[in-house]
Amino acid sequence: MKLIVAVVQDQDSNRLSNALTKAKFRATKLASTGGFLRSGNTTFLIGTEDSLVASALELIRDNCRAREQMVAPVSPMGGNADSYIPYPVEVEVGGATVFVLPIEQFHHF
């Protein structure tokens, strides 16, 4: 048994959620916020059998695309302004950050 923790951008979360449901994966969605861009993310917790991990990862890969986006920087608010860039910059957003963890026990009550 494995636990897949997938952090995806909010723009990709509905598409991924629908794909997981269609493929009969059960997932819990949690609202989360990214630390770098301070933008909305969705964290999926997916429990699955070892043999289905590759299928789940393929769904995540197919439904969470990286793309370029212009973002306005957040002011340092009393922090160190040495690295502050006062104009919008283009950064890569989207995609997914995925962790696959072994599960020692699973209970469904």
Side-chain angles (χ1 to χ4, degrees):
M1 188 101 205
K2 300 286 188 211
L3 174 65
I4 300 171
V5 179
V7 181
V8 304
Q9 189 177 36
D10 279 345
Q11 290 179 342
D12 297 326
S13 68
N14 284 336
R15 186 173 46 251
L16 178 58
S17 181
N18 292 337
L20 289 169
T21 300
K22 186 176 179 181
K24 306 258 191 276
F25 283 100
R26 293 169 52 171
T28 299
K29 287 172 53 174
L30 304 171
S32 54
T33 303
F36 176 64
L37 298 176
R38 292 172 176 71
S39 62
N41 291 328
T42 301
T43 300
F44 287 86
L45 303 177
I46 308 161
T48 189
E49 297 297 329
D50 292 4
S51 61
L52 297 174
V53 169
S55 297
L57 293 176
E58 183 177 343
L59 284 174
I60 295 167
R61 185 180 310 108
D62 291 346
N63 289 281
C64 301
R65 296 177 184 87
R67 57 195 156 274
E68 299 292 320
Q69 178 178 317
M70 294 297 285
V71 295
V74 178
S75 67
M77 294 292 288
N80 186 349
D82 292 341
S83 62
Y84 177 67
I85 302 169
Y87 50 86
V89 293
E90 190 172 50
V91 297
E92 185 176 287
V93 297
T97 301
V98 182
F99 304 91
V100 180
L101 308 167
I103 299 301
E104 192 171 310
Q105 292 185 18
F106 168 76
H107 303 280
H108 183 84
F109 300 111

